[in-house]
Amino acid sequence: MTTGLLLRAPDLTTLAPVTGRLAATAAEYDRTGAFPADGIRAAHEAGLLTATVGERYGGPGLGVAGTARVLHALGEGDPSVALIAAMSLSIHHRQAVRPHWPEEVYGQVLAEAAGRPVLLNHVRVEPELGSPARGGLPATVARRTATGWSLSGRKRFATGVEGLDWLLVWATTDEPTPRVGTFAVPGTTPGIEITRRWDHLGLRASGSHDIALHEVEIPAGNVVDIAAHGVGAEQDNRAGAALHLPLAALYLGVARAAQRYFHRFAQERVPANLGHPVALTERFRRTAGEIALRLDAAEQLVFGGAERVDAADDTYTPEQALGARLLADRHATEAVGLAVRLLGNPGLSRDNPLERHFRDVQCAPVHAPQEDIALLAIGGRALDEAGRADL
């Protein structure tokens, strides 16, 4: 499908001003928990929300490495904005790699996105089911109607839902032999109830509220994918592993923001009994080294892995991508924790940006697949390869 549109290509060498714009409002959005409209607008104006739209559609076709750079910069400014943006970027990337949307519907998405911020997100998690990454059938039901489908059910953690233009709802059909599919629902469709339960430790402005779908009707052509349970529509942790690298980069951006504050504090803090900045003390210099070591190593893993994915390096496995994300998340949380512990009470004060960075980075390991699932995949491959080598 060729749309005739030409979407703005982002300049990855000039992301610092966008980071600055987001950072200027991040604390207030964190305090209020309001939808971060200013930050989303800044990302749109820089061409970042559609950066991964495929070239066949008139988009920049940004790869995994470029996406990681974008989310790193957004995460450093405001990770709530970054996470909301990440959902749209991931969906456009999947469409670029494997077109599966109905052409008319995706064309509508891109036509709107050329002129204003258009946000998309998968809505999959359910109260009873938990994360789809652990298997199971969705309780949300898609019922056939004379003109299309009617969706009813409850979903959790619908990131950015107050600003979503399209919800990709995962549901089970009510057919004699049920199928599982993803249904494209415009955000303004009647019957969508947002239950504002999101009151989280971190990423407070991501607006990851719960929703209820009350007989939400959509046209027959709004089916993004549908298949027998376990075929096609099932979430595949291995196939999507490379897309977790940009998500890891987002939280490394948070850790870099914390590191920057730590450096500034060390340079400006001059205790009366010391007579010079604490940055000159062995204690602060050693901790600064520990923080730099963790973040530099994590970025090498994430960005290096992303470049190998873009280069179609067959030797780079999905398990390596999962491992890179897992280690990056650990390094990011440890690095910020080191800074907080060294500052003591000031680091945990609500008027200190380090306290916010500490809360935000705790969200890194929460995203699916979580550590136990990732380690199971990594360990399974390692043992299988060892078994084959012994034959």
Side-chain angles (χ1 to χ4, degrees):
M1 177 183 76
T2 302
T3 64
L5 294 170
L6 188 61
L7 297 170
R8 176 180 176 181
D11 183 354
L12 300 188
T13 66
T14 59
L15 293 174
V18 182
T19 300
R21 282 186 62 181
L22 268 60
T25 58
E28 180 62 14
Y29 279 124
D30 173 81
R31 187 185 67 79
T32 64
F35 180 78
D38 292 335
I40 293 296
R41 190 176 306 110
H44 165 73
E45 291 172 359
L48 302 182
L49 297 182
T50 51
T52 55
V53 172
E55 293 179 357
R56 75 183 80 188
Y57 305 116
L62 201 65
V64 176
T67 305
R69 296 288 177 189
V70 167
L71 292 182
H72 188 277
L74 295 180
E76 190 172 347
D78 185 340
S80 289
V81 172
L83 186 64
I84 294 169
M87 303 301 126
S88 294
L89 290 172
S90 173
I91 290 168
H92 287 308
H93 176 88
R94 288 179 181 270
Q95 177 68 11
V97 172
R98 183 183 68 82
H100 55 290
W101 279 65
E103 290 191 4
E104 183 178 345
V105 178
Y106 194 63
Q108 181 183 345
V109 170
L110 297 184
E112 295 171 354
R116 63 176 180 82
V118 171
L119 301 176
L120 311 91
N121 195 6
H122 284 278
V123 183
R124 296 174 61 90
V125 181
E126 296 184 346
E128 294 81 14
L129 180 67
S131 171
R134 298 181 183 273
L137 279 167
T140 300
V141 174
R143 179 178 55 82
R144 282 278 195 182
T145 67
T147 58
W149 298 88
S150 175
L151 305 177
S152 295
R154 295 184 178 275
K155 297 291 187 180
R156 302 207 68 192
F157 309 127
T159 295
V161 67
E162 293 166 297
L164 290 184
D165 295 272
W166 292 88
L167 288 70
L168 302 185
V169 179
W170 194 49
T172 303
T173 68
D174 70 341
E175 299 163 314
T177 302
R179 293 181 293 168
V180 177
T182 301
F183 300 82
V185 180
T188 56
T189 307
I192 300 174
E193 177 191 2
I194 301 174
T195 54
R196 289 173 169 78
R197 292 184 55 192
W198 183 251
D199 188 13
H200 217 245
L201 177 73
L203 283 100
R204 294 182 55 78
S206 69
S208 302
H209 299 294
D210 294 2
I211 65 169
L213 305 166
H214 303 289
E215 298 183 359
V216 175
E217 296 194 8
I218 58 171
N222 281 34
V223 179
V224 176
D225 60 44
I226 191 167
H229 178 52
V231 179
E234 190 80 359
Q235 179 164 304
D236 185 342
N237 291 328
R238 295 185 73 258
L243 294 176
H244 298 299
L245 294 171
L247 196 60
L250 186 163
Y251 289 100
L252 288 172
V254 176
R256 286 298 188 188
Q259 181 192 41
R260 181 177 294 106
Y261 177 83
F262 175 77
H263 288 172
R264 186 167 70 250
F265 178 92
Q267 296 290 348
E268 296 175 354
R269 173 66 172 157
V270 182
N273 65 329
L274 196 60
H276 58 74
V278 293
L280 299 178
T281 65
E282 180 178 334
R283 186 159 155 258
F284 268 80
R285 296 174 87 82
R286 183 183 294 111
T287 300
E290 289 280 0
I291 292 171
L293 180 67
R294 283 166 169 76
L295 298 186
D296 290 348
E299 288 179 357
Q300 288 178 30
L301 279 172
V302 169
F303 293 122
E307 289 168 2
R308 291 176 67 182
V309 172
D310 286 341
D313 183 347
D314 291 337
T315 66
Y316 190 73
T317 67
E319 289 77 16
Q320 285 176 294
L322 282 172
R325 187 202 135 188
L326 190 155
L327 286 175
D329 289 349
R330 288 180 178 179
H331 287 334
T333 54
E334 289 168 0
V336 180
L338 284 168
V340 169
R341 285 196 295 273
L342 189 57
L343 265 63
N345 278 331
L348 292 173
S349 174
R350 290 296 297 269
D351 62 356
N352 187 326
L354 188 57
E355 182 267 351
R356 172 165 47 88
H357 301 324
F358 177 78
R359 287 188 287 105
D360 286 337
V361 83
Q362 304 308 312
C363 298
V366 172
H367 298 286
Q370 293 165 347
E371 273 207 11
D372 62 325
I373 298 293
L375 288 171
L376 187 63
I378 296 165
R381 182 182 179 92
L383 289 172
D384 291 345
E385 288 182 344
R388 287 192 294 269
D390 290 339
L391 293 178

